[in-house]
Amino acid sequence: MGSGTTAATAPPTPPAHPEHPHAGRGILMALLATVAYAVVDTLSKYQAREYPVMMIVWARYFVPLVLLLAVFLPRFGTRMLRTAFPMVQMIRGVLLTAGTIFIVFAYRVMPIAEAQAISFIHPVLLTVLAVLFLREKVSALGWAAVLLGFSGVLIIVRPGGGLFTPAAFLPLGLAFSFSSYQIFTRLIAGKESSLNSLFCVLLVGSLAMSVALPFAWLDPTPKGLFFFALIGVTSGIGHFSTIKALEFAPASLLAPFAYIQLLWVSILGVLVFGDFPDAVTLVGMAVVVAGGLLVAASRRRQAGRMAGQAAS
């Protein structure tokens, strides 16, 4: 992850412009990513019943890294291996890896839909962190989204209820790690290609988990080995789909579609584990999603105002 220029290392994220002729393709790729990540999470929970968490997390980073190099290195060469922001990229990698560890541990002790729903408060946390560390201004709509998101989490965990246990802090750990990761991503937004950034994140995660792997290794059965490989390949599909989605459409347009992942994990949770969220949990999930959608709406409105001011 040495320093170097990043120009032309990958197709850039589309500029903020009201017209995106290929936005439909971006949305389709974003939806494919939600399916892939839901499958990865389901497989991770399945494997966590028999194998150490560190082995699962290692597969989620190392296999996609190998696939990324195999697909893109012949095309972009060593340019995709460089970064002008090694420290920021290392912090991003550490934060995302920590978040993955949190959520896989959560899958061992919680239903997958509930764990995912709690973790999806991360856009709300990002709003708060952006105010604290980036001095961003938040509209009344944005603060309403914050309150709505936290209310949804409280509905899900139900203080005094069955999910109000120390385990509930694990998906919150992912939410905090991922929102912090996004703060550092904003620092290099537009200055580093998405491909370079993904390579750095996967490299950091792979190295960290490779160090921990010998202390958590358990010889997998042929079936276990197959599922580890499937976790890695599906994770790679999710990352690749995300990159392609951002080539066709801006992140502000794609953000709301990420919540469809909650639908997939809920369905897979029922089919694979027999975990069907109860009515109160479904209400809480809906409130969390509403909070996230309000965050997205608030950002789009703010971006529209800024674009209007720049044009005037």
Side-chain angles (χ1 to χ4, degrees), residues 1-19:
M1 295 197 317
S3 61
T5 60
T6 60
T9 52
T13 300
H17 193 278
E19 297 181 0

Side-chain angles (χ1 to χ4, degrees), residues 106-168:
Y107 292 153
R108 298 186 74 173
V109 294
M110 295 181 66
I112 188 171
E114 282 84 341
Q116 271 286 319
I118 295 172
S119 73
F120 264 80
I121 198 176
H122 62 78
V124 171
L125 286 178
L126 176 60
T127 299
V128 176
L129 292 177
V131 171
L132 294 176
F133 296 104
L134 300 181
R135 298 293 187 263
E136 290 188 4
K137 295 182 179 180
V138 177
S139 65
L141 184 63
W143 286 118
V146 170
L147 293 175
L148 197 61
F150 281 116
S151 298
V153 170
L154 289 176
I155 292 172
I156 294 171
V157 300
R158 276 163 277 178
L163 285 179
F164 191 64
T165 67

Side-chain angles (χ1 to χ4, degrees), residues 12-231:
T13 300
H17 193 278
E19 297 181 0
H20 298 282
H22 301 296
R25 297 181 189 178
I27 292 171
L28 287 176
M29 295 306 297
L31 292 175
L32 176 59
T34 65
V35 175
Y37 289 136
V39 172
V40 170
D41 289 329
T42 303
L43 291 171
S44 296
K45 180 175 176 64
Y46 185 84
Q47 288 291 82
R49 302 185 302 181
E50 299 182 25
Y51 294 98
V53 168
M54 297 304 174
M55 289 183 66
I56 299 168
V57 178
W58 176 82
R60 290 179 64 146
Y61 284 87
F62 182 77
V63 177
L65 176 64
V66 173
L67 293 175
L68 186 78
L69 292 173
V71 173
F72 290 103
L73 191 59
R75 180 180 176 186
F76 296 110
T78 57
R79 291 174 298 173
M80 66 169 284
L81 310 181
R82 303 176 188 144
T83 175
F85 308 93
M87 184 57 65
V88 174
Q89 295 287 20
M90 185 178 70
I91 294 172
R92 289 176 70 249
V94 169
L95 287 169
L96 197 60
T97 303
T100 307
I101 293 172
F102 277 126
I103 197 63
V104 178
F105 267 116
Y107 292 153
R108 298 186 74 173
V109 294
M110 295 181 66
I112 188 171
E114 282 84 341
Q116 271 286 319
I118 295 172
S119 73
F120 264 80
I121 198 176
H122 62 78
V124 171
L125 286 178
L126 176 60
T127 299
V128 176
L129 292 177
V131 171
L132 294 176
F133 296 104
L134 300 181
R135 298 293 187 263
E136 290 188 4
K137 295 182 179 180
V138 177
S139 65
L141 184 63
W143 286 118
V146 170
L147 293 175
L148 197 61
F150 281 116
S151 298
V153 170
L154 289 176
I155 292 172
I156 294 171
V157 300
R158 276 163 277 178
L163 285 179
F164 191 64
T165 67
F169 288 99
L170 293 170
L172 286 175
L174 166 61
F176 181 79
S177 297
F178 190 64
S179 55
S180 301
Y181 158 87
Q182 289 179 303
I183 287 290
F184 284 94
T185 299
R186 286 191 182 186
L187 296 178
I188 58 174
K191 304 173 185 176
E192 193 102 294
S193 78
S194 56
L195 187 60
N196 288 69
S197 292
L198 177 59
F199 165 75
C200 293
V201 165
L202 293 178
L203 178 64
V204 171
S206 297
L207 291 175
M209 291 299 97
S210 295
V211 171
L213 193 61
F215 302 99
W217 182 260
L218 180 65
D219 290 337
T221 64
K223 176 183 175 183
L225 194 61
F226 169 77
F227 280 121
F228 278 122
L230 192 57
I231 285 173

